[in-house]
Amino acid sequence: MKTPRISLFIIAKNEEQNIAKCILSAKHIVNEIVVVNSMSKDKTALICRDLGAAVYDRAFDGFTNQKNFALSKVTNEWALSLDADESLTPELAEEIKQAVQQGKADGYELTRVNDFLGKRMRHSGMKAEHILRLVRTEKAEFRGGLVHEKLHVDGNTARLKNVFIHHPYDSIESYFDKFNKYTTLAAQTMFEKGKKVCLLRVLLTVPFEFARRYVLKAGFLDGIRGLIWASFSCFYVFVKYMKLWYLWEEKKNK
């Protein structure tokens, strides 16, 4: 029986610190690597090409569009979606290879664990997540908006047992680099939907977000990292709404 072929596809911008680890974790089980590069100013594209990837330069216009474009460049039967700051464990890589050979489902959820500032987070709303990432290419598409994109597959799904690792923030500086981008996209999404800022809602939501992460999600069990994550998370909510307020102010003053 012919061995099914897998393509790895990634979207990236200024990911020279992470992209090699991501690609190398899957390189031995995939037959094609597709990277959509959002006009990186560092060595991201060069590193990807050196590792055998086909690199497509494309201006970023939202996560859903960017990932659907990447998926459209895949030529193999199976497509594996990873972010540049994610990597497979050897155990999961082997399980993926076996899963596509058996072909019992059209898509597979993978279990993601999260690192923060160099250590695994087991609470704080960052415990293991089950995310659809391995799909039959012709049956799959991303749906969503500028943010919160989600992969869908037209068919049955199953879940693999081993994990892959998400390591998005290896320093506080890297957190705030992404923080600014994501709060802007979140505010733009709300603005486009016509949502307005309610001051009372902000005053209630911000402290609740801290309590949810630190108390309800047991962030205190993650030590100082749990405190930092809960604090940053409530600040994220505040900044997102303030950026939304400013978008309406700009429109009003035009």
Side-chain angles (χ1 to χ4, degrees):
M1 184 176 68
K2 185 178 178 181
T3 302
R5 295 168 68 86
I6 308 172
S7 296
L8 169 66
F9 68 100
I10 308 164
I11 67 169
K13 180 177 182 178
N14 297 332
E15 291 283 0
E16 66 179 9
Q17 301 299 321
N18 295 312
I19 197 75
K21 182 176 182 179
C22 175
I23 292 174
L24 290 172
S25 73
K27 196 171 190 297
H28 62 293
I29 64 165
V30 302
N31 310 96
E32 177 183 54
I33 303 165
V34 172
V35 176
V36 176
N37 175 45
S38 301
M39 311 305 179
S40 296
K41 296 180 180 179
D42 62 5
K43 296 180 181 179
T44 295
L46 177 62
I47 292 169
C48 293
R49 290 190 177 99
D50 285 346
L51 290 173
V55 178
Y56 300 88
D57 292 314
R58 185 178 189 271
F60 183 83
D61 62 348
F63 285 97
T64 301
N65 288 345
Q66 203 77 345
K67 289 192 175 183
N68 273 327
F69 178 81
L71 182 59
S72 74
K73 298 301 180 183
V74 167
T75 63
N76 287 324
E77 176 186 356
W78 287 91
L80 171 64
S81 172
L82 288 178
D83 292 340
D85 55 8
E86 297 172 341
S87 57
L88 302 181
T89 58
E91 295 80 8
L92 179 57
E94 182 61 30
E95 191 178 8
I96 287 172
K97 187 165 64 172
Q98 293 175 5
V100 299
Q101 288 175 344
Q102 295 168 0
K104 294 180 179 179
D106 298 302
Y108 292 91
E109 291 183 344
L110 310 183
T111 300
R112 182 173 77 175
V113 295
N114 297 287
D115 287 355
F116 180 56
L117 302 180
K119 189 174 180 180
R120 181 69 43 82
M121 297 288 279
R122 303 189 184 279
H123 307 281
S124 306
M126 295 182 73
K127 65 180 183 179
E129 309 163 271
H130 306 297
I131 312 171
L132 185 66
R133 290 297 187 87
L134 178 65
V135 292
R136 292 188 189 273
T137 306
E138 63 179 12
K139 294 187 175 186
E141 69 171 348
F142 285 91
R143 299 174 189 169
L146 294 175
V147 291
H148 305 307
E149 79 290 350
K150 190 173 182 181
L151 184 57
H152 292 259
V153 67
D154 182 17
N156 61 317
T157 62
R159 181 179 297 169
L160 303 186
K161 66 178 183 178
N162 289 295
V163 305
F164 69 110
I165 303 169
H166 186 214
H167 41 89
Y169 311 116
D170 56 4
S171 69
I172 291 177
E173 289 79 6
S174 68
Y175 175 88
F176 280 102
D177 285 343
K178 294 183 179 181
F179 175 96
N180 191 45
K181 175 182 178 180
Y182 283 109
T183 51
T184 296
L185 290 173
Q188 288 175 343
T189 299
M190 291 189 294
F191 180 74
E192 290 171 2
K193 292 180 178 180
K195 292 186 177 181
K196 299 290 184 69
V197 175
C198 172
L199 183 57
L200 179 60
R201 181 177 181 180
V202 174
L203 290 172
L204 293 175
T205 302
V206 170
F208 175 77
E209 182 64 19
F210 179 87
R212 186 176 76 88
R213 300 254 179 202
Y214 196 65
V215 180
L216 299 179
K217 297 291 185 179
F220 59 90
L221 295 177
D222 283 321
I224 186 64
R225 288 172 177 79
L227 176 62
I228 293 170
W229 182 255
S231 301
F232 285 0
S233 296
C234 68
F235 185 53
Y236 177 98
V237 172
F238 177 76
V239 172
K240 174 181 70 174
Y241 280 113
M242 293 308 98
K243 287 185 175 181
L244 174 60
W245 169 82
Y246 189 69
L247 288 172
W248 285 111
E249 284 293 297
E250 285 187 314
K251 182 176 181 180
K252 182 174 67 176
N253 295 328
K254 284 183 179 179

